[in-house]
Amino acid sequence: MERSPNVARLRPSATIAVSSLAKRLASEGRDIINLSAGEPDFDTPSFISEAAIQGIRQGQTRYTPAPGMPELRKAVAATLSERAGRPVPWEGIVVSTGAKQALFNACFSIFGPGDEVLVGTPYWTSYPEIVGLCRAEAVPVAGQESRDFKLTPEDLERAATPRTRGFLYSSPGNPTGVVYSRDELQALAEWCRDRGVWLLADEIYREIYFGAGGQAPGLLELPPECLGNHVLFDGASKSFAMTGWRMGFSLSTPEWAKVFTALQSHTTSNVATPSQVAALAAYSRTDETAAAVAEMREAFRRRRDLVERLFREKLPQLPYLEPGGAFYLFFRVDGVFGPGRQTAAELCSWLLEEAGVALVPGEAFGDPRFARLSYATSDELLVKAVDRIAEALAG
Ligand code: PMP
Ligand code: GLU
């Protein structure tokens, strides 16, 4: 089978693969606690789902413009304008099938053969694959563990070459949950501006933040003069528990939005219309949305505290990074490597088999010393999962 060079190096999403395996084993009757894929376990707030149902009943079932319904793009832009304290042009918003497609649209439109895109390790598993699909080169940049892997302009400078065209990161981060401060972001943004490097900011977890105000620092709060070329990514999946609706967006200049739109118009066209109607409710009924988000954020914070306490008490041999947002715990597993489990991938397969707990091995994120657990699940399952891991390791 000869694959086109377009996909010659493409690997399936590791996060989705582990989670699908866990679901299959569970459906075969195995007792599996699935802490692999990162998705909120909450139902979509009912007023959002109801809006979509109403929309379908009223015939909102046809194509919309490829970049989304204008009223949705305007509602998203209004949310971002409020955050930025200055107007954000709605024509810069392109609504896509998840932030994943928004990332793909932007990377495919901006990068090509010969380009290098800096990606901090540990990275979200899809970043290098998306960059590879553009036939550009993802260049992993390892931050220092003592700084929770957060990158500095010096780290970027060391990795940069004349071919460096972009820098792609997430904050709050997947898989670490680590959050850049406003000053740290500003320093990175200024480096990108000065070096003529595109800054691609994935802020999909910005509402799941445990610090003051409940929203992680982001690009829009930086003084506009700090920013050179940039694209911001966000969406409904994580903030509003809407993973299955597939609604994300990019914010760029209106000129670049037209390019992303042209690409999307030849691939998927618009996001499913009922999903857009649901998202319109989420982005326009702001008080109801804020209340729902606050409740979910509080639950994630409580679980974060719980899982940290459980790790400290029962798994002290697995040191973790302190998460400030998102819903992941990223912890070192190399201290418990042994015969038959000499890599994170082997260890995670062993834990799935022995303990019935599904985790994502660090190989998926570019650091095989670690594993990732999603704590977007019930307290009861978290307690049970940690007990099972501790028991398996005690041997
Ligand atoms: N960025 C990051 C960092 C993620 O973890 C995810 C998870 N799915 C996405 C983007 C894409 O999310 P979605 O396509 O569901 O909007
Ligand atoms: N982003 C989530 C994760 O990292 C969902 C799965 C995916 O799209 O990668 O697990």
Side-chain angles (χ1 to χ4, degrees), residues 115-336:
D115 291 340
E116 293 178 351
V117 180
L118 306 179
V119 178
T121 43
Y123 46 71
W124 178 44
T125 197
S126 289
Y127 291 161
E129 302 296 334
I130 290 174
V131 171
L133 281 171
C134 311
R135 301 228 221 151
E137 201 65 48
V139 176
V141 187
Q144 285 174 27
E145 193 171 350
S146 58
R147 304 189 71 254
D148 289 344
F149 295 110
K150 283 197 270 188
L151 297 176
T152 61
E154 293 70 36
D155 295 322
L156 298 182
E157 187 60 47
R158 266 194 301 276
T161 74
R163 300 192 332 183
T164 304
R165 297 269 335 276
F167 166 51
L168 171 56
Y169 74 96
S170 59
S171 177
N174 180 0
T176 58
V178 166
V179 184
Y180 282 92
S181 72
R182 192 178 169 288
D183 289 348
E184 289 164 342
L185 282 183
Q186 180 159 337
L188 295 173
E190 287 173 345
W191 181 87
C192 288
R193 178 199 62 192
D194 294 346
R195 293 291 303 247
V197 165
W198 278 86
L199 177 61
L200 303 184
D202 182 347
E203 299 188 1
I204 186 99
Y205 295 102
R206 79 183 176 97
E207 302 264 12
I208 307 174
Y209 174 58
F210 310 127
Q215 295 201 346
L219 277 204
L220 290 176
E221 287 137 27
L222 301 183
E225 61 275 13
C226 299
L227 295 168
N229 282 332
H230 64 281
V231 187
L232 185 151
F233 306 92
D234 197 345
S237 286
K238 317 287 175 172
S239 306
F240 313 142
M242 290 180 70
T243 46
W245 298 83
R246 310 309 300 129
M247 186 278 169
F249 64 84
S250 55
L251 169 68
S252 62
T253 61
E255 292 71 28
W256 276 99
K258 283 192 188 131
V259 182
F260 307 159
T261 298
L263 173 59
Q264 187 165 299
S265 76
H266 290 298
T267 51
T268 56
S269 303
N270 59 275
V271 168
T273 304
S275 294
Q276 292 191 59
V277 175
L280 178 59
Y283 283 99
S284 54
R285 289 165 63 173
T286 46
D287 289 348
E288 285 161 276
T289 302
V293 169
E295 207 175 299
M296 291 191 269
R297 183 188 297 123
E298 213 28 61
F300 286 132
R301 182 208 307 275
R302 215 173 23 73
R303 292 162 176 181
R304 190 259 330 239
D305 293 345
L306 170 68
V307 91
E308 282 196 47
R309 183 170 60 70
L310 292 170
F311 264 64
R312 282 197 306 270
E313 285 172 7
K314 301 187 176 183
L315 294 169
Q317 68 276 50
L318 304 182
Y320 57 83
L321 297 182
E322 179 93 25
F327 36 66
Y328 303 112
L329 193 77
F330 200 55
F331 52 95
R332 275 188 87 142
V333 290
D334 51 344
V336 297

